[in-house]
Amino acid sequence: MSDPVVAVLGGGQLGRMLALAAAPLGVRCRFLDPKADAPARDLGPLVIGALDDADALTSVVDGATVATYEWEGVPASSARLVAGMVPIRPGAKSLEVSQDRKLEKDTFRALDIPTAQFAIVDDRATLDEAVHAIGLPAVLKTRRGGYDGKGQAVLRDDADVDAAWSRLGDQPLLLEQWIAFERELSVIATRDADGHVVAWPLVENVHENGTLRTSRAPATATGDVTTAAHDSVRKLLDQLDHVGTLALELFDTGDALLANELAPRVHNTGHWTIEGAVTSQFENHIRAVLGLPLGETTPVGHCAMVNFLGGLPDPADVMRLPRSHFHDYRKSPAPGRKVGHATLVADDPDALETPLSELLALAHAASASLETP
Amino acid sequence: MSDPVVAVLGGGQLGRMLALAAAPLGVRCRFLDPKADAPARDLGPLVIGALDDADALTSVVDGATVATYEWEGVPASSARLVAGMVPIRPGAKSLEVSQDRKLEKDTFRALDIPTAQFAIVDDRATLDEAVHAIGLPAVLKTRRGGYDGKGQAVLRDDADVDAAWSRLGDQPLLLEQWIAFERELSVIATRDADGHVVAWPLVENVHENGTLRTSRAPATATGDVTTAAHDSVRKLLDQLDHVGTLALELFDTGDALLANELAPRVHNTGHWTIEGAVTSQFENHIRAVLGLPLGETTPVGHCAMVNFLGGLPDPADVMRLPRSHFHDYRKSPAPGRKVGHATLVADDPDALETPLSELLALAHAASASLETP
């Protein structure tokens, strides 16, 4: 292997962290992103262009060893175009499945991965049938294009059904059973080019207004629950012939683990692995797409990651917290925008409580200062 | 603090690793180096120029928040020139002292830091006097410009004295007592802008042909030895008013710890801190020069670092070793050249033995393949 170059479709903070994991290995990344101020810009050449622009795609992969993506919104047609020029890992299939809630749910079902009840909604009549079959509360979701709680409506009564239909009814939809989950979990794994899979411990996640705020790892979970989650993600990786890192979000209802959705890429709930595991999700993704052996996923401590949404706290305040690691994505502040994160590591989970509450207070203050100018 | 930029004088692998530690903090580095293929080139803008070129120095620090250096050969006059434009941390004094073995030894002596016996050699007569006073074996060293065993001669008998004088006699010299050390140690510490000092555990080092091959940390050492080393490095940092990371190399004779030399910068014997300590020597250097609080230096395991000299082994072979971390500096292979390193981490020191012997075998094979083309 001499001087490998990875072309990354998308140049956000995930691309930035991929490049930071790649550089020690002697691997350079370059990026395609529509924005000149894409967060990855500091860490490799940036081609500014749309992710469906054939010229831009050709330009970013020219001379690259392999292509990959850091955003699940990359059109599958772009991945297929790229595949004619250089290997792309993971491939178009992982994009297609993750971009369509029906394909995603069908894939889960075909693999015996438990999910919430769901029904396809093509028109007002099928919506009413679905509400009747599944019951309320339920969640109406667009089949395509939703993320971080966008493109969704919670239906509690008939008025909600009418309102949601007026707002979302002009596109393919899916109605999902409302899950009164006890907690949200995720599991992240990497599959290499030979089909070997490594998985990190389960992560417990807390969202605020639909956006991830906190991840804790390893989540408290029985061996059975962990095994079930690892089995699910492994079946999914194999089914998609996915080479690289993938995240599966899960609802823990207390009785069952239900698959919510997959992200065919490195994932926000895996940022703790940078300092908290022997090998990070980013390094294993780079190793996988280059055909290198995967690294161990063993945690090195108990971790809590907090997202900075909207604005960053003073870095010095974060750095003063014990065993804290500050990450600034170099993005402009904007309400709700993910502009950075910090990870705390401790030898036992109780030792995380005080610094975590302090870190959350800093994060909330930084978010609030953005929202009330 | 908004978007800080650190101008780094020198763009070698140390600059590369500084930039990799800086990026997560939202800190960009740029570099001045005479070589267009300087290892740091991938990680920030590179000004190609000599380290004593006023125009090049002006260009690299233009608009920077602070300047620093990653090579102790940067002329002190360059540091003074830069200091007129932006703060430079550490300053010219640390360079002056480390570049002159007499100033260095005088500084150790003034601070009651034990060293080998030494004498200044200005001409053949003072060499003979020094040999008489110190005895043989002894080491004749150039006062300036020596590193990795270069500019040195070991004197065992009168013939060696004559030969060394013919080879080195045209420059200021210093004769040092030959130390039959049991082992070589180093201690690395960072001092912040307010004078706070943090130090990592002692490191035990093995050289091959004058070049570092292996570092192990934390070194086995009594509390007294560790305290003595930490006291020495703290006095040195204070005396130099050094802001940033500094390394002190020591000989352990079994009875005493003798200071050998200092490096006013991040140091090869501290590379293990990237994966092996809560905060790396590189991140603490960046934090210090920017006036940010320093991070904890607690080790997260037992570490062994092996330098790749000459050529790199196959990365996959290194990655297959348990808990191994591969580093490729993106340098051309050349006999003896430091082209990369790998660090192994384990929960107890015995668990390092087998992978370390395997890693050393890979490193030696890669070196040998370069030396016998």
Side-chain angles (χ1 to χ4, degrees):
Chain A
M1 186 173 79
S2 74
D3 288 359
V5 174
V6 178
V8 184
L9 309 185
Q13 62 266 23
L14 300 177
R16 190 175 165 93
M17 289 184 270
L18 281 170
L20 285 169
L25 311 182
V27 176
R28 285 166 291 160
C29 291
R30 50 162 95 135
F31 305 93
L32 171 62
D33 199 277
K35 292 187 197 147
D37 66 347
R41 70 194 179 284
D42 301 330
L43 292 159
L46 173 66
V47 174
I48 301 166
L51 289 161
D52 59 357
D53 177 327
D55 290 342
L57 289 162
T58 304
S59 168
V60 76
V61 305
D62 179 42
T65 314
V66 65
T68 190
Y69 44 85
E70 58 93 77
W71 182 48
E72 69 276 28
V74 170
S77 55
S78 296
R80 280 190 292 266
L81 178 75
V82 164
M85 298 183 279
V86 296
I88 180 162
R89 292 172 173 168
K93 188 173 179 184
S94 298
L95 289 170
E96 280 164 341
V97 170
S98 70
Q99 285 168 4
D100 185 320
R101 290 188 196 278
K102 177 176 183 301
L103 286 183
E104 188 179 49
K105 288 279 197 284
D106 288 344
T107 303
F108 290 151
R109 188 171 276 182
L111 295 170
D112 286 325
I113 298 173
T115 67
Q117 285 184 61
F118 67 94
I120 301 306
V121 172
D122 290 322
D123 49 33
R124 182 61 207 243
T126 48
L127 173 57
D128 290 337
E129 283 164 35
V131 168
H132 183 75
I134 290 172
L136 294 184
V139 190
L140 188 64
K141 297 182 175 180
T142 58
R143 269 181 61 178
R144 302 181 62 87
Y147 66 96
D148 280 355
K150 293 167 184 73
Q152 302 196 3
V154 180
L155 316 184
R156 296 177 195 281
D157 54 33
D158 289 347
D160 286 344
V161 177
D162 292 336
W165 180 254
S166 343
R167 183 158 69 86
L168 303 171
D170 59 346
Q171 56 203 309
L173 298 167
L174 182 141
L175 190 74
E176 259 181 44
Q177 176 190 16
W178 168 268
I179 299 297
F181 57 80
E182 290 189 349
R183 56 180 187 162
E184 295 173 275
L185 299 173
S186 59
V187 57
I188 297 172
T190 308
R191 184 171 175 270
D192 76 12
D194 298 325
H196 300 124
V197 172
V198 295
W200 286 267
L202 283 170
V203 187
E204 182 170 341
N205 306 306
V206 176
H207 288 73
E208 288 177 8
N209 306 317
T211 303
L212 181 71
R213 175 62 90 174
T214 310
S215 291
R216 294 189 63 157
T220 309
T222 63
D224 284 354
V225 166
T226 301
T227 301
H230 284 171
D231 285 349
S232 292
V233 76
R234 187 182 305 265
K235 284 191 283 187
L236 204 48
L237 286 161
D238 287 341
Q239 170 64 23
L240 298 172
D241 196 17
H242 186 98
V243 176
T245 297
L246 176 145
L248 177 61
E249 296 183 34
L250 302 155
F251 294 134
D252 182 359
T253 66
D255 301 318
L257 221 49
L258 302 180
N260 179 30
E261 59 183 48
L262 72 89
R265 52 162 172 79
V266 288
H267 196 251
N268 197 166
T269 65
H271 291 358
W272 66 274
T273 61
I274 297 174
E275 296 91 4
V278 169
T279 316
S280 76
Q281 62 165 349
F282 301 100
E283 179 167 340
N284 266 346
H285 185 77
I286 294 292
R287 292 195 193 193
V289 303
L290 287 169
L292 290 164
L294 301 180
E296 294 151 76
T297 52
T298 321
V300 300
H302 292 267
C303 299
M305 187 236 42
V306 171
N307 271 340
F308 300 131
L309 304 173
L312 289 172
D314 184 331
D317 290 338
V318 176
M319 290 177 188
R320 279 188 202 101
L321 298 174
R323 228 168 142 179
S324 67
H325 299 277
F326 180 75
H327 294 258
D328 172 355
Y329 306 151
R330 295 236 305 123
K331 289 163 87 166
S332 308
R337 182 176 288 167
K338 291 177 179 173
V339 293
H341 77 267
T343 298
L344 302 170
V345 187
D347 288 335
D348 79 275
D350 291 343
L352 285 173
E353 297 309 328
T354 304
L356 176 56
S357 64
E358 288 169 11
L359 177 57
L360 273 169
L362 293 172
H364 283 135
S367 295
S369 70
L370 252 283
E371 278 145 22
T372 52
Chain B
M1 187 174 80
S2 74
D3 288 359
V5 174
V6 178
V8 184
L9 309 185
Q13 61 266 23
L14 300 177
R16 189 176 166 92
M17 288 183 270
L18 282 170
L20 284 169
L25 311 182
V27 175
R28 284 166 294 162
C29 291
R30 49 162 94 135
F31 305 93
L32 172 61
D33 198 277
K35 291 186 197 147
D37 66 348
R41 69 194 179 284
D42 301 330
L43 292 158
L46 173 66
V47 175
I48 302 166
L51 289 161
D52 59 356
D53 177 327
D55 290 341
L57 288 162
T58 304
S59 168
V60 77
V61 305
D62 180 44
T65 314
V66 64
T68 189
Y69 44 84
E70 57 94 77
W71 183 48
E72 71 276 29
V74 170
S77 55
S78 296
R80 279 190 294 266
L81 178 75
V82 164
M85 298 183 280
V86 296
I88 179 162
R89 292 170 172 170
K93 188 173 179 184
S94 298
L95 289 171
E96 280 164 343
V97 169
S98 69
Q99 285 168 3
D100 185 321
R101 290 186 195 279
K102 177 177 185 300
L103 286 182
E104 188 178 50
K105 288 280 197 282
D106 288 346
T107 302
F108 291 152
R109 187 172 275 181
L111 296 170
D112 285 326
I113 298 173
T115 67
Q117 284 186 61
F118 67 94
I120 301 306
V121 172
D122 290 321
D123 50 31
R124 182 60 206 244
T126 48
L127 173 57
D128 291 337
E129 283 165 31
V131 168
H132 184 74
I134 290 173
L136 295 184
V139 190
L140 188 64
K141 296 182 174 180
T142 58
R143 269 182 61 177
R144 303 181 62 88
Y147 66 95
D148 280 355
K150 293 167 185 72
Q152 303 197 3
V154 179
L155 316 183
R156 296 178 192 280
D157 55 31
D158 289 348
D160 286 345
V161 176
D162 293 336
W165 180 253
S166 343
R167 182 158 70 86
L168 302 170
D170 59 346
Q171 56 204 308
L173 298 167
L174 182 140
L175 189 74
E176 258 181 46
Q177 177 190 15
W178 168 267
I179 300 297
F181 57 80
E182 291 188 350
R183 55 180 188 161
E184 295 173 274
L185 298 174
S186 59
V187 58
I188 297 173
T190 308
R191 184 171 175 270
D192 76 12
D194 298 324
H196 301 123
V197 173
V198 294
W200 286 267
L202 283 170
V203 187
E204 181 169 343
N205 306 306
V206 176
H207 287 74
E208 287 177 9
N209 305 318
T211 303
L212 180 71
R213 176 61 90 173
T214 310
S215 291
R216 293 190 64 158
T220 310
T222 63
D224 285 354
V225 166
T226 301
T227 302
H230 283 170
D231 284 350
S232 293
V233 76
R234 187 182 305 267
K235 284 191 284 188
L236 203 48
L237 285 161
D238 286 342
Q239 170 65 23
L240 297 172
D241 195 16
H242 186 98
V243 176
T245 297
L246 177 144
L248 178 61
E249 295 183 35
L250 303 154
F251 293 133
D252 182 0
T253 66
D255 301 318
L257 221 47
L258 302 179
N260 178 29
E261 59 182 49
L262 71 91
R265 53 162 171 78
V266 289
H267 196 252
N268 197 166
T269 65
H271 291 359
W272 66 274
T273 62
I274 297 174
E275 296 91 4
V278 169
T279 315
S280 77
Q281 61 165 350
F282 300 100
E283 179 167 339
N284 266 345
H285 185 77
I286 294 293
R287 292 196 194 192
V289 303
L290 287 170
L292 290 164
L294 300 180
E296 294 150 74
T297 53
T298 320
V300 301
H302 292 267
C303 299
M305 186 233 47
V306 171
N307 271 340
F308 300 131
L309 304 173
L312 289 172
D314 184 331
D317 290 338
V318 176
M319 290 177 188
R320 279 188 202 101
L321 298 174
R323 228 167 141 179
S324 67
H325 299 278
F326 180 75
H327 294 258
D328 171 355
Y329 306 152
R330 293 237 305 124
K331 290 163 86 166
S332 308
R337 182 177 288 166
K338 291 177 180 174
V339 293
H341 78 267
T343 298
L344 301 171
V345 186
D347 288 334
D348 78 276
D350 291 343
L352 286 173
E353 297 309 327
T354 304
L356 176 56
S357 64
E358 287 170 10
L359 177 57
L360 273 168
L362 293 172
H364 283 135
S367 295
S369 70
L370 252 283
E371 276 145 23
T372 52

